[in-house]
Amino acid sequence: SADLKLLEEATISVCKSLVEKNPRTGNLGSLVKVFLSRTKELKISAECQNHLFIWQAHNALFIICCLLKVFISRMSEEELQLHFTYEEKA
């Protein structure tokens, strides 16, 4: 759709920067880990009608999806795996 094309065009520089820096920073893996750790709270938030938390979770998932689309279209499976196997240097 036209909206998706506009979104991709508006975020491509940020995504390219993340693709370049992520092997050193591990930001994408961290975002996914935080999202997964917070999913347990989603059911409780829905029951309590905590719309702010649900909105934050929705946005995090949307960002992850957009970034993964760029990552998948620009790199091989082996390169993609490296972005999720970041280990902090001691």
Side-chain angles (χ1 to χ4, degrees), residues 7-78:
L7 175 66
E8 288 176 1
E9 291 172 1
T11 61
I12 194 67
S13 64
V14 173
C15 292
K16 283 181 181 179
S17 178
L18 184 66
V19 167
E20 292 172 13
K21 295 176 183 174
N22 190 63
R24 293 186 309 276
T25 63
N27 287 330
L28 180 59
S30 295
L31 178 59
V32 171
K33 286 178 186 175
V34 168
F35 175 78
L36 291 174
S37 71
R38 306 282 314 265
T39 56
K40 297 172 187 158
E41 301 168 33
L42 277 174
K43 184 177 179 182
I44 296 167
S45 295
E47 291 170 355
C48 298
Q49 296 183 352
N50 182 347
H51 299 290
L52 179 62
F53 183 78
I54 294 168
W55 174 74
Q56 290 171 341
H58 176 269
N59 287 343
L61 186 57
F62 179 73
I63 291 167
I64 291 168
C65 289
C66 291
L67 291 173
L68 284 178
K69 181 178 179 185
V70 171
F71 275 53
I72 290 168
S73 69
R74 297 185 175 266
M75 60 185 65
S76 68
E77 185 177 333
E78 292 80 20

